[in-house]
Amino acid sequence: MSDYYWDTQYEYLRNTRKLYYNDDYLEFLIRFVWRITTPVNIIDYGCGYGYLGIKLLPMLPEGSSYTGVDKSKELISQAQKLFNHSPYRTEFIQGDIEEMKIQSKNDVAMCHAFLLHMTDTKSVIEKMIDSVINGGRVICFEPHWISNMSNYLIEGVEQSQIVKLGIVQKLYEEDSKRNGKDGNIGARVPILLSQLGLKNVECRVSDRVNFLDQNIELENKEALYSALKDEGLGHEPGEQNDVIKRLMARGLLGEEARAQYDAEEFFSKQFKLQSWLTYAPSMKISYGTVSR
């Protein structure tokens, strides 16, 4: 079995990506914001199983192509299988953007929930820019975890009981200081794009709100509930002493770690298939134009 974490995460990725975007909003971005009216060559860094290709290719002008790059051998294999009989021009490359050299032949460089896993985000974005022709675009779909955490509502439960925003914010900040990976990178990306010389930099927020509606069909409700659980909502925190030790090792004080554990345990008990819940991931979509 592979030691690379993402080689084992295909089912998780496939089950949770549906939580992030409405198709009509993505089509709105393509047609009315980015105004893509002629075929484009897209390269997607950290492509996973080709999620962005699956979503965007049917919306793009005929003749567009999609190249996916990912470090995971298993995810690249899954992507190749999924696109094997598709009508679109696709290519999948196993590789690490931090080590690869890509020619500047692409109209668009994209990434999705990728930069938050990078320890040197700026240099990765620089490589994305280098892989795009003059006048092309860089588009980054990235999370801002603290706004994500503030966007849960369970009917009948006070949000402050299930999410300790101040503690969670400190936890994310301490994690970033310790390992260089920033779960709040979505809010910083437009700043980095502009600092690196891109023009017409803007940032949007996905309009997707997931609603666990008790009046929908059971099959649809179970599918959404399963995706939300896989996303981490209402997960069981585990053995108390072990969890508190890990939280303290990540920078929380003892009292903060205990409060975080209690909130996660309470959330796990409250969130059931029968719950009324709304959840908005609030994915940030930042983009700019390459100008050399």
Side-chain angles (χ1 to χ4, degrees), residues 143-193:
H144 181 240
W145 278 351
I146 197 63
S147 61
N148 170 304
M149 295 295 290
S150 67
N151 273 310
Y152 304 153
L153 186 144
I154 299 180
E155 178 69 6
V157 178
E158 292 182 350
Q159 210 258 359
S160 60
Q161 293 181 286
I162 59 175
V163 179
K164 302 295 182 183
L165 283 175
I167 293 175
V168 171
Q169 189 168 23
K170 177 180 178 180
L171 195 60
Y172 295 154
E173 291 169 351
E174 291 299 319
D175 282 346
S176 182
K177 292 175 186 176
R178 189 178 70 257
N179 61 30
K181 299 178 182 180
D182 186 1
N184 291 316
I185 192 64
R188 188 173 174 232
V189 170
I191 297 171
L192 293 173
L193 295 181

Side-chain angles (χ1 to χ4, degrees), residues 79-135:
Q80 290 169 333
K81 290 176 185 177
L82 288 170
F83 283 89
N84 189 35
H85 299 294
S86 80
Y88 305 109
R89 291 194 297 128
T90 60
E91 180 183 7
F92 293 95
I93 302 168
Q94 183 191 3
D96 186 343
I97 185 176
E98 293 181 292
E99 299 175 357
M100 296 173 63
K101 291 184 178 180
I102 307 291
Q103 293 182 340
S104 302
K105 63 178 182 179
N106 303 283
D107 301 298
V108 180
M110 289 185 171
C111 65
H112 182 273
F114 174 66
L115 296 178
L116 79 159
H117 300 295
M118 299 293 104
T119 57
D120 188 353
T121 307
K122 200 166 188 176
S123 68
V124 172
I125 295 176
E126 286 176 328
K127 286 202 169 187
M128 292 178 69
I129 294 169
D130 289 343
S131 70
V132 174
I133 62 172
N134 192 40

